[in-house]
Amino acid sequence: MSTALQLLINILIQTTLLGLVAAGFSVFYSVSKIQHLAHGAVITGAGYIFLTLLRAGVILPLAVFGALIAALLTGLLCNFFLYERLQKRRAFSSLVALIASLILLSGLQSILLIIWGSQPRVIPLEGLHSRLDIFGASLTPLQIITITVSLFLIGLFTLYLKRSRFGMAIRATADNPEMAEIIGINTRRVRYLTMALISFIGGVAGVLLALEYNLDPYASTLHAVRMFARTIVAGVGSVPGVLASGLLIDGAENLGGYFISSSFKDAYSFIIVFLFLLLRPRGLFGPKKD
């Protein structure tokens, strides 16, 4: 009982936290057709900014806010200096955008290494890491906050996309950008605002990841791979879908690691992604192709 509950807790933490990252990645791709892999470095950078502000004596709420603003500005700069310039090119293609985003991811990761070094950092906050025993399973106040905040933001993000005027503009741009322009939607403005929104939410994920796990510049690439995998399994543009895909991927990793071998933990998720690419390329909830 305790082992099963602990595995469930571990799966929920990963699924909800990385779901925040994958949701933003998926939505931005739907409106821009650009795989913003550099989002992995943006959220990692938010964690480092959070750590730096805390060590400078800034109070916790302001340190969190500073990290979110840093993530937002970094995302907007990525869009301004690279992605929008790619959109203007006649030879724009998803492959060119993917290569450009990989280069940007590598560049931002190198900046993190230059400023903060390669040594992993830990952010110990009193009270958040104390262990609570629940039917033999271990849970911390931070993990309760992580699951609650992540689910709340994913739910709010979903409602915003479905009910708000800007959400409708995002969906219209994702479905048919040319038609969206014809009916008066400024698709360039939609891409900028979408980037700002997903970067701000990604900053929240970056702070929570920094508190839950060690801060490591190389985690930028790991986050990029994980959000890419979740988007493939969920289907592009499906925010609730990233939770379902996360449960599937994280469940396979944790259960496979426990019952088979933790040495092949990453292989289990890659097998799932490969099967979806082969058998259901549109993902669980992706739109059907005509």
Side-chain angles (χ1 to χ4, degrees):
M1 173 64 182
S2 60
T3 301
L5 184 58
Q6 188 65 62
L7 285 171
L8 178 60
I9 290 171
N10 293 343
I11 291 169
L12 281 176
I13 293 167
Q14 281 184 243
T15 298
T16 54
L17 188 49
L18 294 174
L20 272 181
V21 181
F25 173 85
S26 179
V27 170
F28 186 73
Y29 176 76
S30 71
V31 300
S32 68
K33 302 303 179 282
I34 293 175
Q35 295 166 350
H36 179 37
L37 296 176
H39 195 44
V42 172
I43 64 174
T44 304
Y48 274 105
I49 294 295
F50 176 63
L51 170 65
T52 302
L53 291 174
L54 282 180
R55 288 186 172 178
V58 178
I59 60 174
L60 182 62
L62 287 180
V64 172
F65 183 71
L68 302 189
I69 295 301
L72 186 152
L73 292 176
T74 304
L76 288 176
L77 288 173
C78 290
N79 197 57
F80 177 78
F81 284 108
L82 181 61
Y83 299 147
E84 284 302 315
R85 295 175 188 271
L86 288 175
Q87 293 282 355
K88 294 176 182 178
R89 290 169 57 97
R90 290 186 178 180
F92 171 80
S93 69
S94 294
L95 179 60
V96 171
L98 175 62
I99 294 171
S101 187
L102 281 170
I103 294 172
L104 182 58
L105 169 64
S106 178
L108 291 176
Q109 184 172 279
S110 298
I111 292 172
L112 294 178
L113 281 165
I114 291 170
I115 297 175
W116 286 284
S118 59
Q119 189 71 23
R121 311 288 182 91
V122 180
I123 305 178
L125 288 179
E126 290 185 16
L128 289 181
H129 295 279
S130 58
R131 293 285 170 181
L132 305 174
D133 184 77
I134 302 176
F135 300 109
S138 178
L139 186 66
T140 67
L142 173 61
Q143 290 169 343
I144 295 173
I145 293 170
T146 295
I147 294 172
T148 304
V149 170
S150 299
L151 285 175
F152 173 76
L153 287 178
I154 289 174
L156 192 64
F157 192 25
T158 303
L159 282 175
Y160 184 72
L161 290 177
K162 288 185 176 181
R163 302 291 177 85
S164 71
R165 186 174 179 180
F166 179 61
M168 288 188 284
I170 288 177
R171 287 186 282 119
T173 303
D175 289 340
N176 193 323
E178 291 80 12
M179 183 59 69
E181 286 280 0
I182 291 172
I183 64 175
I185 295 174
N186 186 333
T187 56
R188 183 171 181 268
R189 181 171 175 268
V190 167
R191 290 192 296 270
Y192 267 109
L193 291 177
T194 302
M195 174 61 85
L197 182 60
I198 70 150
S199 298
F200 192 81
I201 294 174
V204 176
V207 170
L208 293 173
L209 281 165
L211 289 169
E212 180 64 28
Y213 305 106
N214 291 344
L215 264 175
D216 185 346
Y218 295 108
S220 303
T221 302
L222 181 60
H223 296 330
V225 171
R226 284 177 166 173
M227 66 188 180
F228 183 65
R230 280 161 171 74
T231 300
I232 290 174
V233 176
V236 173
S238 175
V239 175
V242 298
L243 289 178
S245 65
L247 284 172
L248 187 60
I249 291 173
D250 297 325
E253 287 184 357
N254 282 274
L255 294 175
Y258 180 78
F259 290 106
I260 303 174
S261 172
S262 59
S263 301
F264 305 107
K265 190 175 180 180
D266 292 332
Y268 307 131
S269 59
F270 284 123
I271 290 171
I272 291 174
V273 172
F274 176 76
L275 289 174
F276 267 86
L277 286 172
L278 189 65
L279 303 174
R280 193 180 174 89
R282 71 181 181 90
L284 290 170
F285 303 100
K288 292 182 180 179
K289 299 293 184 182
D290 294 330

mmCIF file of all heavy atoms in Angstrom, residues 222-241:
data_model
loop_
_atom_site.group_PDB
_atom_site.id
_atom_site.type_symbol
_atom_site.label_atom_id
_atom_site.label_comp_id
_atom_site.label_asym_id
_atom_site.label_seq_id
_atom_site.Cartn_x
_atom_site.Cartn_y
_atom_site.Cartn_z
ATOM 1 N N LEU A 222 17.222 18.560 -20.732
ATOM 2 C CA LEU A 222 16.331 17.514 -20.233
ATOM 3 C C LEU A 222 14.874 17.981 -20.232
ATOM 4 O O LEU A 222 13.972 17.258 -20.656
ATOM 5 C CB LEU A 222 16.753 17.102 -18.820
ATOM 6 C CG LEU A 222 15.927 15.994 -18.156
ATOM 7 C CD1 LEU A 222 15.989 14.710 -18.985
ATOM 8 C CD2 LEU A 222 16.415 15.743 -16.736
ATOM 9 N N HIS A 223 14.646 19.221 -19.783
ATOM 10 C CA HIS A 223 13.289 19.769 -19.783
ATOM 11 C C HIS A 223 12.747 19.881 -21.212
ATOM 12 O O HIS A 223 11.574 19.617 -21.467
ATOM 13 C CB HIS A 223 13.271 21.147 -19.124
ATOM 14 C CG HIS A 223 13.633 21.131 -17.678
ATOM 15 N ND1 HIS A 223 13.374 20.054 -16.858
ATOM 16 C CD2 HIS A 223 14.233 22.075 -16.887
ATOM 17 C CE1 HIS A 223 13.798 20.325 -15.638
ATOM 18 N NE2 HIS A 223 14.317 21.533 -15.632
ATOM 19 N N ALA A 224 13.627 20.290 -22.139
ATOM 20 C CA ALA A 224 13.211 20.436 -23.540
ATOM 21 C C ALA A 224 12.773 19.089 -24.114
ATOM 22 O O ALA A 224 11.748 18.997 -24.802
ATOM 23 C CB ALA A 224 14.356 21.019 -24.360
ATOM 24 N N VAL A 225 13.543 18.053 -23.829
ATOM 25 C CA VAL A 225 13.205 16.715 -24.325
ATOM 26 C C VAL A 225 11.893 16.235 -23.720
ATOM 27 O O VAL A 225 11.032 15.672 -24.409
ATOM 28 C CB VAL A 225 14.339 15.720 -24.002
ATOM 29 C CG1 VAL A 225 13.908 14.287 -24.314
ATOM 30 C CG2 VAL A 225 15.600 16.070 -24.782
ATOM 31 N N ARG A 226 11.723 16.469 -22.427
ATOM 32 C CA ARG A 226 10.514 15.992 -21.754
ATOM 33 C C ARG A 226 9.253 16.708 -22.238
ATOM 34 O O ARG A 226 8.212 16.092 -22.429
ATOM 35 C CB ARG A 226 10.676 16.162 -20.236
ATOM 36 C CG ARG A 226 11.584 15.107 -19.618
ATOM 37 C CD ARG A 226 11.781 15.335 -18.146
ATOM 38 N NE ARG A 226 12.374 14.162 -17.511
ATOM 39 C CZ ARG A 226 12.774 14.125 -16.251
ATOM 40 N NH1 ARG A 226 12.641 15.205 -15.480
ATOM 41 N NH2 ARG A 226 13.286 13.017 -15.739
ATOM 42 N N MET A 227 9.339 18.012 -22.436
ATOM 43 C CA MET A 227 8.135 18.724 -22.889
ATOM 44 C C MET A 227 7.828 18.361 -24.343
ATOM 45 O O MET A 227 6.657 18.293 -24.749
ATOM 46 C CB MET A 227 8.303 20.239 -22.724
ATOM 47 C CG MET A 227 9.331 20.895 -23.582
ATOM 48 S SD MET A 227 9.561 22.635 -23.106
ATOM 49 C CE MET A 227 10.828 23.124 -24.293
ATOM 50 N N PHE A 228 8.867 18.099 -25.139
ATOM 51 C CA PHE A 228 8.671 17.684 -26.521
ATOM 52 C C PHE A 228 7.980 16.325 -26.567
ATOM 53 O O PHE A 228 7.036 16.110 -27.350
ATOM 54 C CB PHE A 228 10.023 17.620 -27.227
ATOM 55 C CG PHE A 228 9.943 17.268 -28.683
ATOM 56 C CD1 PHE A 228 9.325 18.121 -29.581
ATOM 57 C CD2 PHE A 228 10.487 16.085 -29.170
ATOM 58 C CE1 PHE A 228 9.245 17.806 -30.931
ATOM 59 C CE2 PHE A 228 10.412 15.763 -30.505
ATOM 60 C CZ PHE A 228 9.789 16.631 -31.395
ATOM 61 N N ALA A 229 8.424 15.405 -25.716
ATOM 62 C CA ALA A 229 7.834 14.064 -25.667
ATOM 63 C C ALA A 229 6.371 14.121 -25.244
ATOM 64 O O ALA A 229 5.505 13.451 -25.831
ATOM 65 C CB ALA A 229 8.619 13.180 -24.699
ATOM 66 N N ARG A 230 6.062 14.939 -24.252
ATOM 67 C CA ARG A 230 4.676 15.059 -23.780
ATOM 68 C C ARG A 230 3.762 15.657 -24.845
ATOM 69 O O ARG A 230 2.610 15.270 -24.967
ATOM 70 C CB ARG A 230 4.631 15.916 -22.510
ATOM 71 C CG ARG A 230 5.015 15.144 -21.266
ATOM 72 C CD ARG A 230 5.408 16.057 -20.115
ATOM 73 N NE ARG A 230 5.573 15.306 -18.891
ATOM 74 C CZ ARG A 230 6.598 14.502 -18.625
ATOM 75 N NH1 ARG A 230 7.563 14.361 -19.515
ATOM 76 N NH2 ARG A 230 6.677 13.847 -17.484
ATOM 77 N N THR A 231 4.291 16.591 -25.616
ATOM 78 C CA THR A 231 3.500 17.212 -26.671
ATOM 79 C C THR A 231 3.185 16.221 -27.783
ATOM 80 O O THR A 231 2.076 16.206 -28.324
ATOM 81 C CB THR A 231 4.250 18.421 -27.253
ATOM 82 O OG1 THR A 231 4.488 19.369 -26.209
ATOM 83 C CG2 THR A 231 3.444 19.102 -28.347
ATOM 84 N N ILE A 232 4.151 15.382 -28.127
ATOM 85 C CA ILE A 232 3.930 14.366 -29.156
ATOM 86 C C ILE A 232 2.827 13.406 -28.727
ATOM 87 O O ILE A 232 1.920 13.076 -29.487
ATOM 88 C CB ILE A 232 5.230 13.594 -29.445
ATOM 89 C CG1 ILE A 232 6.234 14.499 -30.170
ATOM 90 C CG2 ILE A 232 4.956 12.336 -30.272
ATOM 91 C CD1 ILE A 232 7.584 13.880 -30.374
ATOM 92 N N VAL A 233 2.896 12.937 -27.474
ATOM 93 C CA VAL A 233 1.922 11.965 -26.982
ATOM 94 C C VAL A 233 0.550 12.615 -26.782
ATOM 95 O O VAL A 233 -0.486 12.018 -27.075
ATOM 96 C CB VAL A 233 2.411 11.318 -25.668
ATOM 97 C CG1 VAL A 233 1.353 10.383 -25.089
ATOM 98 C CG2 VAL A 233 3.712 10.554 -25.912
ATOM 99 N N ALA A 234 0.535 13.871 -26.307
ATOM 100 C CA ALA A 234 -0.736 14.559 -26.039
ATOM 101 C C ALA A 234 -1.420 15.008 -27.323
ATOM 102 O O ALA A 234 -2.635 14.910 -27.467
ATOM 103 C CB ALA A 234 -0.502 15.758 -25.132
ATOM 104 N N GLY A 235 -0.628 15.482 -28.262
ATOM 105 C CA GLY A 235 -1.194 16.122 -29.452
ATOM 106 C C GLY A 235 -1.014 17.621 -29.331
ATOM 107 O O GLY A 235 -1.234 18.199 -28.269
ATOM 108 N N VAL A 236 -0.588 18.258 -30.399
ATOM 109 C CA VAL A 236 -0.266 19.685 -30.384
ATOM 110 C C VAL A 236 -1.488 20.529 -30.019
ATOM 111 O O VAL A 236 -2.575 20.329 -30.559
ATOM 112 C CB VAL A 236 0.281 20.125 -31.757
ATOM 113 C CG1 VAL A 236 0.464 21.633 -31.810
ATOM 114 C CG2 VAL A 236 1.605 19.432 -32.031
ATOM 115 N N GLY A 237 -1.293 21.463 -29.080
ATOM 116 C CA GLY A 237 -2.343 22.404 -28.714
ATOM 117 C C GLY A 237 -3.290 21.935 -27.639
ATOM 118 O O GLY A 237 -4.163 22.683 -27.208
ATOM 119 N N SER A 238 -3.128 20.711 -27.153
ATOM 120 C CA SER A 238 -4.029 20.185 -26.129
ATOM 121 C C SER A 238 -3.421 20.375 -24.745
ATOM 122 O O SER A 238 -2.507 19.650 -24.356
ATOM 123 C CB SER A 238 -4.306 18.700 -26.378
ATOM 124 O OG SER A 238 -5.093 18.153 -25.339
ATOM 125 N N VAL A 239 -3.920 21.377 -23.998
ATOM 126 C CA VAL A 239 -3.395 21.642 -22.656
ATOM 127 C C VAL A 239 -3.774 20.532 -21.682
ATOM 128 O O VAL A 239 -2.903 20.005 -20.974
ATOM 129 C CB VAL A 239 -3.868 23.017 -22.140
ATOM 130 C CG1 VAL A 239 -3.421 23.237 -20.704
ATOM 131 C CG2 VAL A 239 -3.330 24.127 -23.037
ATOM 132 N N PRO A 240 -5.049 20.108 -21.592
ATOM 133 C CA PRO A 240 -5.360 18.983 -20.693
ATOM 134 C C PRO A 240 -4.655 17.701 -21.127
ATOM 135 O O PRO A 240 -4.357 16.843 -20.305
ATOM 136 C CB PRO A 240 -6.884 18.826 -20.825
ATOM 137 C CG PRO A 240 -7.373 20.113 -21.372
ATOM 138 C CD PRO A 240 -6.268 20.622 -22.245
ATOM 139 N N GLY A 241 -4.378 17.598 -22.436
ATOM 140 C CA GLY A 241 -3.729 16.402 -22.948
ATOM 141 C C GLY A 241 -2.349 16.165 -22.378
ATOM 142 O O GLY A 241 -1.899 15.022 -22.274
#
